[in-house]
């Protein structure tokens, strides 16, 4: 542990963590608003306010199980010090900025996990990893989009059957209203799962410096500051990725947007309750592909979907490599 860490450096690292949380909101704003924007139910400037509000209040609904997993279930807390945290955040931020600039909806969650693994293993080797928590997270890479896909496809079938005697105009009008509810639920799930990842990072940093006593916990001021940073990032948008998520994968109607958001929200609620740090990007992408495939397989632009999958596969190793290099550079600098 880095017992001699000064207050200015500690505050600076917390500020970097909140910057990551802000960029997470900016990068993943599309997850919350892409469907409601692409179906023209809300204009982008109103949609981001809607999503940011529900991002912020998420802490009132969910516990802190995901923060606990990030803080103690990815790498051994005994390995954590200021340099590991700094390396992890740099790895995650660099990968987020690269994929944001390219308009690729990669996972901020897995970038942070990759950063933690890279920084921890650079310091302590392969023994730094908590393999139980890490394997659960890697499994979620596969399961979260698959569950979102299946739930969204099932919802399309149920809704289509229930609406068979209604006119297209009536169905469209009803689901334009219902999309407000589904978008709210998804934004709530997004804020509940994603903001907790930064809470876990800040809490394990405080714990490593002896500021939390003998038991790991998440102070309330950390909860509020992380929710606020994510909500502010969402307010700033992320329009490059909105275009990919909402327009390029498949064309969406309000009914399909409702099914995608509801299927994605249900997946996030389950994962957050179980303490699994899933990717909101993976989840909503799987759900959008599911509603497109429910119409017909050719409705999905599979070349766009496959390029997103490639980004998913390389996110953890890419951010881990950047974090490991950062840790080594820090060692050279401090000597």
């Amino acid at each position: 542990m880095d017992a001699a860490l000064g207050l200015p450096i500690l505050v600076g690292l917390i500020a970097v963590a909140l910057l990551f949380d802000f960029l997470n909101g900016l990068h993943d704003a599309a997850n919350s608003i892409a469907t409601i924007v692409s179906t023209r139910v809300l204009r982008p400037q109103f949609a981001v306010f809607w999503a940011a509000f529900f991002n912020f209040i998420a802490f009132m609904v969910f516990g802190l199980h995901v923060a606990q997993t990030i803080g103690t279930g990815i790498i051994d807390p005994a390995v954590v010090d200021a340099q590991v945290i700094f390396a992890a955040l740099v790895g995650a931020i660099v990968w987020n900025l690269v994929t944001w600039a390219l308009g690729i909806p990669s996972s901020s969650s897995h970038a942070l996990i990759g950063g933690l693994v890279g920084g921890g293993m650079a310091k302590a080797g392969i023994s730094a990893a908590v393999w139980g928590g890490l394997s659960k997270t890697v499994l979620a890479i596969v399961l979260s989009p698959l569950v979102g896909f299946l739930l969204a496809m099932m919802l399309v079938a149920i809704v289509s059957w229930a609406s068979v005697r209604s006119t297209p105009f009536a169905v469209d009008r009803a689901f334009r209203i219902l999309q407000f509810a589904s978008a709210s639920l998804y934004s709530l799930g997004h804020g509940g799962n994603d903001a907790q990842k930064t809470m876990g990072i800040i809490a394990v940093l405080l714990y490593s410096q002896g500021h939390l006593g003998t038991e790991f916990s998440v102070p309330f001021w950390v909860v509020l500051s992380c929710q606020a940073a994510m909500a502010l990032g969402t307010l700033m948008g992320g329009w490059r990725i909105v275009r990919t998520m909402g327009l390029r994968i498949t064309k969406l109607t309000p009914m399909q947007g409702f099914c995608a958001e509801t299927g994605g929200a249900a997946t996030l609620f389950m994962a957050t309750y179980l303490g699994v740090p899933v990717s909101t990007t993976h989840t909503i992408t799987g759900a959008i592909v599911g509603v497109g495939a429910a119409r017909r397989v050719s409705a999905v632009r599979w070349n766009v979907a496959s390029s997103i999958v490639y980004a998913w596969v390389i996110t953890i190793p890419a951010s881990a490599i950047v974090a490991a290099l950062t840790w080594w550079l820090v060692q050279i600098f401090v000597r």
Side-chain angles (χ1 to χ4, degrees):
M1 297 195 186
D2 203 359
L5 187 64
L7 182 62
I9 296 175
L10 180 63
V11 171
L13 280 171
I14 292 171
V16 174
L18 291 175
L19 172 63
F20 168 79
D21 207 20
F22 170 83
L23 290 172
N24 192 340
L26 176 74
H27 189 276
D28 290 359
N31 300 346
S32 297
I33 68 171
T35 50
I36 203 168
V37 169
S38 66
T39 56
R40 295 178 173 81
V41 171
L42 270 181
R43 282 193 272 177
Q45 57 267 43
F46 298 126
V48 290
F49 277 100
W50 187 267
F53 172 75
F54 287 99
N55 273 179
F56 180 72
I57 67 168
F59 73 93
M60 300 178 184
V61 178
F62 300 102
L64 298 176
H65 308 300
V66 174
Q68 188 80 24
T69 298
I70 291 291
T72 61
I74 302 299
I75 59 170
D76 184 352
V79 171
V80 174
D81 61 13
Q83 295 166 9
V84 169
I85 293 294
F86 178 72
L89 290 169
V90 169
I93 287 171
V94 167
W95 185 247
N96 265 3
L97 289 174
V98 168
T99 52
W100 175 79
L102 297 174
I104 300 169
S106 67
S107 169
S108 298
S109 309
H110 294 134
L112 183 59
I113 289 163
L116 270 175
V117 171
M121 287 188 175
K123 178 185 178 183
I126 200 168
S127 62
V130 178
W131 292 105
L134 192 56
S135 60
K136 181 171 68 172
T137 301
V138 172
L139 182 62
I141 293 177
V142 178
L143 289 183
S144 61
L146 181 60
V147 172
F149 175 91
L150 293 174
L151 285 177
M153 183 177 277
M154 188 167 53
L155 280 167
V156 170
I158 293 169
V159 166
S160 298
W161 176 80
S163 307
V164 70
R165 295 189 179 182
S166 302
T167 65
F169 176 78
V171 171
D172 188 75
R173 183 176 60 183
F175 281 100
R176 282 181 177 276
I177 296 168
L178 287 171
Q179 250 202 291
F180 283 98
S182 61
S184 303
L185 289 171
Y186 194 83
S187 295
L188 201 63
H190 175 218
N193 200 283
D194 270 16
Q196 287 194 45
K197 292 149 192 169
T198 308
M199 293 178 205
I201 287 288
I202 295 175
V204 76
L205 175 64
L206 293 171
Y207 177 74
S208 73
Q209 300 304 306
H211 293 291
L212 299 181
T214 57
E215 288 192 16
F216 179 87
S217 61
V218 183
F220 187 61
W221 68 265
V222 173
V223 175
L224 283 181
S225 58
C226 288
Q227 297 287 173
M230 170 160 282
L232 186 61
T234 300
L235 276 177
M236 299 298 291
W239 311 120
R240 293 171 183 266
I241 298 171
V242 167
R243 182 170 178 270
T244 300
M245 296 288 287
L247 300 175
R248 290 181 60 199
I249 295 174
T250 188
K251 288 184 68 175
L252 295 173
T253 65
M255 183 269 279
Q256 292 170 325
F258 168 82
C259 292
E261 287 162 346
T262 305
T267 306
L268 291 181
F269 276 51
M270 287 188 289
T272 304
Y273 175 76
L274 294 171
V276 181
V278 299
S279 166
T280 55
T281 310
H282 293 193
T283 304
I284 195 62
T285 303
I288 291 172
V289 171
V291 297
R295 186 166 72 240
R296 64 181 188 278
V297 174
S298 61
V300 178
R301 297 186 178 95
W302 294 103
N303 60 325
V304 176
S306 62
S307 68
I308 293 170
V309 171
Y310 297 148
W312 294 351
V313 171
I314 64 173
T315 289
I316 289 181
S319 53
I321 290 168
V322 174
L325 290 173
T326 302
W327 188 85
W328 286 110
L329 286 172
V330 168
Q331 304 317 299
I332 294 170
F333 179 76
V334 297
R335 283 172 186 167

